[in-house]
Amino acid sequence: ASLPMFAVVGILAGLLGVLFNRGPLPTIQWYTRIPARFSLLAAAVTGGLVGLAGWFSPLLIGSGHALAESALQGELVLIAIPVFFLVRFLLTVSSYGTGAPGGIFAPLLVLGALIGLAVGQIAHALWPAIAPIPAAFAVVGMAAYFTAIVRAPLTGIMLIIEMTGNYHQMLPLLVSCFCAYAVAEYL
Protein backbone atom coordinates (compact mmCIF):
# COMPACT_ATOMS: atom_id res chain seq x y z
CA ALA A 1 0.00 0.00 0.00
CA SER A 2 2.94 2.36 0.56
CA LEU A 3 4.55 1.84 -2.86
CA PRO A 4 2.85 4.92 -4.40
CA MET A 5 4.45 7.06 -1.70
CA PHE A 6 7.84 5.54 -2.51
CA ALA A 7 7.16 6.45 -6.15
CA VAL A 8 6.60 10.04 -4.96
CA VAL A 9 10.01 9.92 -3.26
CA GLY A 10 11.51 8.81 -6.57
CA ILE A 11 9.76 11.48 -8.60
CA LEU A 12 10.78 14.23 -6.18
CA ALA A 13 14.34 12.87 -6.04
CA GLY A 14 14.44 12.85 -9.84
CA LEU A 15 13.36 16.49 -10.05
CA LEU A 16 15.77 17.64 -7.35
CA GLY A 17 18.55 15.42 -8.72
CA VAL A 18 18.45 17.26 -12.03
CA LEU A 19 18.65 20.53 -10.12
CA PHE A 20 21.66 19.15 -8.20
CA ASN A 21 23.40 18.18 -11.44
CA ARG A 22 22.85 21.63 -12.89
CA GLY A 23 23.74 23.50 -9.68
CA PRO A 24 27.53 23.20 -9.58
CA LEU A 25 28.11 24.34 -13.17
CA PRO A 26 27.23 28.03 -12.61
CA THR A 27 29.22 28.16 -9.39
CA ILE A 28 32.25 26.55 -11.03
CA GLN A 29 32.00 29.07 -13.88
CA TRP A 30 31.61 31.93 -11.40
CA TYR A 31 34.70 30.88 -9.43
CA THR A 32 36.76 30.44 -12.61
CA ARG A 33 35.94 34.01 -13.65
CA ILE A 34 37.49 35.37 -10.46
CA PRO A 35 41.03 36.62 -11.10
CA ALA A 36 43.71 34.30 -9.72
CA ARG A 37 44.88 36.85 -7.16
CA PHE A 38 41.39 36.86 -5.59
CA SER A 39 40.66 33.12 -5.76
CA LEU A 40 41.96 32.49 -2.25
CA LEU A 41 39.79 35.32 -0.96
CA ALA A 42 36.72 33.86 -2.72
CA ALA A 43 37.39 30.46 -1.17
CA ALA A 44 37.85 32.11 2.24
CA VAL A 45 34.53 33.94 1.92
CA THR A 46 32.82 30.67 1.02
CA GLY A 47 34.49 29.01 3.99
CA GLY A 48 33.32 31.88 6.18
CA LEU A 49 29.75 31.38 5.00
CA VAL A 50 30.00 27.68 5.76
CA GLY A 51 31.38 28.50 9.20
CA LEU A 52 28.56 30.97 9.80
CA ALA A 53 25.99 28.32 8.90
CA GLY A 54 27.74 25.91 11.28
CA TRP A 55 27.62 28.50 14.03
CA PHE A 56 23.83 28.48 13.90
CA SER A 57 23.47 24.73 13.35
CA PRO A 58 26.41 22.30 13.37
CA LEU A 59 24.17 19.81 11.52
CA LEU A 60 24.46 21.98 8.41
CA ILE A 61 28.19 21.53 7.85
CA GLY A 62 30.68 18.74 7.40
CA SER A 63 30.00 15.41 5.76
CA GLY A 64 26.46 15.43 7.09
CA HIS A 65 26.77 12.21 9.06
CA ALA A 66 25.00 13.67 12.11
CA LEU A 67 22.22 15.13 9.97
CA ALA A 68 21.79 11.84 8.12
CA GLU A 69 21.59 9.98 11.43
CA SER A 70 18.94 12.41 12.64
CA ALA A 71 16.98 11.90 9.42
CA LEU A 72 17.30 8.12 9.54
CA GLN A 73 16.04 8.12 13.12
CA GLY A 74 13.17 10.41 12.18
CA GLU A 75 14.22 13.09 14.66
CA LEU A 76 13.74 16.12 12.39
CA VAL A 77 10.50 18.05 12.37
CA LEU A 78 8.85 18.52 9.00
CA ILE A 79 9.12 22.30 8.94
CA ALA A 80 12.92 22.15 9.39
CA ILE A 81 13.56 19.65 6.59
CA PRO A 82 13.18 22.08 3.64
CA VAL A 83 15.41 24.59 5.42
CA PHE A 84 18.09 21.97 6.07
CA PHE A 85 17.78 20.76 2.47
CA LEU A 86 18.07 24.23 0.94
CA VAL A 87 21.01 25.33 3.09
CA ARG A 88 22.88 22.01 2.65
CA PHE A 89 22.22 22.15 -1.09
CA LEU A 90 23.57 25.69 -1.41
CA LEU A 91 26.58 24.97 0.81
CA THR A 92 27.41 21.82 -1.15
CA VAL A 93 27.14 23.52 -4.53
CA SER A 94 29.10 26.61 -3.49
CA SER A 95 31.81 24.59 -1.73
CA TYR A 96 32.19 22.30 -4.72
CA GLY A 97 32.43 25.31 -7.02
CA THR A 98 35.53 26.62 -5.25
CA GLY A 99 37.53 23.64 -6.45
CA ALA A 100 38.81 22.99 -2.93
CA PRO A 101 39.30 19.32 -2.10
CA GLY A 102 36.24 17.78 -0.57
CA GLY A 103 33.56 15.25 -1.21
CA ILE A 104 30.17 15.42 -2.80
CA PHE A 105 29.08 11.82 -2.22
CA ALA A 106 28.14 12.06 1.47
CA PRO A 107 26.32 15.40 1.05
CA LEU A 108 24.15 14.01 -1.74
CA LEU A 109 23.18 11.04 0.44
CA VAL A 110 22.19 13.42 3.23
CA LEU A 111 20.08 15.46 0.83
CA GLY A 112 18.38 12.27 -0.34
CA ALA A 113 17.64 11.26 3.23
CA LEU A 114 15.99 14.64 3.80
CA ILE A 115 13.83 14.25 0.69
CA GLY A 116 12.70 10.80 1.77
CA LEU A 117 12.03 11.83 5.36
CA ALA A 118 9.92 14.80 4.23
CA VAL A 119 7.74 12.58 2.04
CA GLY A 120 7.58 9.97 4.80
CA GLN A 121 6.48 12.47 7.41
CA ILE A 122 3.82 13.96 5.13
CA ALA A 123 2.56 10.48 4.21
CA HIS A 124 2.54 9.49 7.89
CA ALA A 125 0.53 12.59 8.82
CA LEU A 126 -2.02 11.96 6.08
CA TRP A 127 -2.13 8.16 6.05
CA PRO A 128 -0.44 6.67 9.14
CA ALA A 129 -1.35 3.12 8.12
CA ILE A 130 0.41 3.49 4.77
CA ALA A 131 3.56 5.11 6.18
CA PRO A 132 3.93 3.91 9.76
CA ILE A 133 7.69 4.59 9.88
CA PRO A 134 8.64 7.86 8.13
CA ALA A 135 12.36 7.19 8.64
CA ALA A 136 12.13 4.21 6.28
CA PHE A 137 11.48 6.72 3.52
CA ALA A 138 14.76 8.48 4.40
CA VAL A 139 16.73 5.34 3.59
CA VAL A 140 14.97 4.96 0.25
CA GLY A 141 15.42 8.68 -0.45
CA MET A 142 19.17 8.27 -0.23
CA ALA A 143 19.17 5.67 -2.98
CA ALA A 144 16.66 7.56 -5.12
CA TYR A 145 18.62 10.83 -4.97
CA PHE A 146 21.87 9.01 -5.72
CA THR A 147 20.15 7.38 -8.70
CA ALA A 148 18.82 10.68 -10.00
CA ILE A 149 22.23 12.33 -9.83
CA VAL A 150 24.50 9.50 -10.95
CA ARG A 151 21.95 7.73 -13.21
CA ALA A 152 22.86 4.33 -11.79
CA PRO A 153 19.73 2.81 -10.21
CA LEU A 154 21.14 -0.64 -9.49
CA THR A 155 24.22 0.87 -7.88
CA GLY A 156 22.02 3.08 -5.71
CA ILE A 157 19.91 0.11 -4.65
CA MET A 158 22.92 -2.09 -3.88
CA LEU A 159 24.64 0.76 -2.04
CA ILE A 160 21.75 1.17 0.38
CA ILE A 161 21.27 -2.57 0.82
CA GLU A 162 24.98 -2.86 1.58
CA MET A 163 24.84 0.07 4.01
CA THR A 164 21.77 -1.15 5.88
CA GLY A 165 22.06 -4.92 5.51
CA ASN A 166 18.27 -4.90 5.05
CA TYR A 167 16.71 -6.67 2.09
CA HIS A 168 13.14 -5.95 3.24
CA GLN A 169 13.13 -2.61 1.41
CA MET A 170 14.05 -4.09 -1.96
CA LEU A 171 10.67 -3.38 -3.61
CA PRO A 172 10.41 0.22 -2.31
CA LEU A 173 14.01 0.79 -3.42
CA LEU A 174 13.25 -0.53 -6.91
CA VAL A 175 10.13 1.61 -7.28
CA SER A 176 11.74 4.77 -5.97
CA CYS A 177 15.04 4.43 -7.82
CA PHE A 178 13.51 3.64 -11.15
CA CYS A 179 11.05 6.54 -10.81
CA ALA A 180 13.98 8.83 -9.97
CA TYR A 181 15.94 7.49 -12.93
CA ALA A 182 13.02 7.90 -15.33
CA VAL A 183 12.29 11.49 -14.25
CA ALA A 184 15.96 12.51 -14.36
CA GLU A 185 16.48 10.94 -17.78
CA TYR A 186 13.32 12.53 -19.12
CA LEU A 187 14.40 15.97 -17.94
Side-chain angles (χ1 to χ4, degrees):
S2 63
L3 287 180
M5 293 315 302
F6 285 108
V8 170
V9 171
I11 292 166
L12 190 57
L15 293 170
L16 293 171
V18 169
L19 183 66
F20 187 89
N21 282 344
R22 293 181 182 163
L25 296 176
T27 57
I28 291 169
Q29 291 171 352
W30 184 79
Y31 279 107
T32 56
R33 288 188 199 127
I34 296 173
R37 63 182 182 269
F38 297 118
S39 63
L40 186 59
L41 178 63
V45 168
T46 303
L49 292 173
V50 171
L52 184 63
W55 175 271
F56 291 105
S57 176
L59 290 175
L60 291 171
I61 61 173
S63 68
H65 182 77
L67 184 57
E69 286 293 323
S70 294
L72 293 173
Q73 293 173 7
E75 296 174 349
L76 300 175
V77 294
L78 181 59
I79 198 155
I81 294 172
V83 174
F84 278 120
F85 183 88
L86 181 64
V87 173
R88 286 287 307 197
F89 180 88
L90 292 173
L91 291 177
T92 300
V93 168
S94 62
S95 296
Y96 186 76
T98 66
I104 204 165
F105 178 71
L108 76 86
L109 290 180
V110 173
L111 293 171
L114 292 172
I115 293 167
L117 182 61
V119 172
Q121 286 186 354
I122 292 169
H124 180 72
L126 297 174
W127 307 286
I130 290 177
I133 305 169
F137 287 81
V139 174
V140 173
M142 294 169 92
Y145 201 54
F146 174 87
T147 296
I149 293 169
V150 180
R151 306 293 201 285
L154 296 177
T155 303
I157 292 167
M158 292 310 299
L159 173 76
I160 297 304
I161 289 173
E162 189 75 22
M163 285 173 59
T164 62
N166 182 357
Y167 290 92
H168 298 298
Q169 288 187 314
M170 181 63 88
L171 189 55
L173 283 166
L174 284 166
V175 168
S176 189
C177 287
F178 283 109
C179 284
Y181 180 77
V183 168
E185 277 296 305
Y186 178 75
L187 294 175

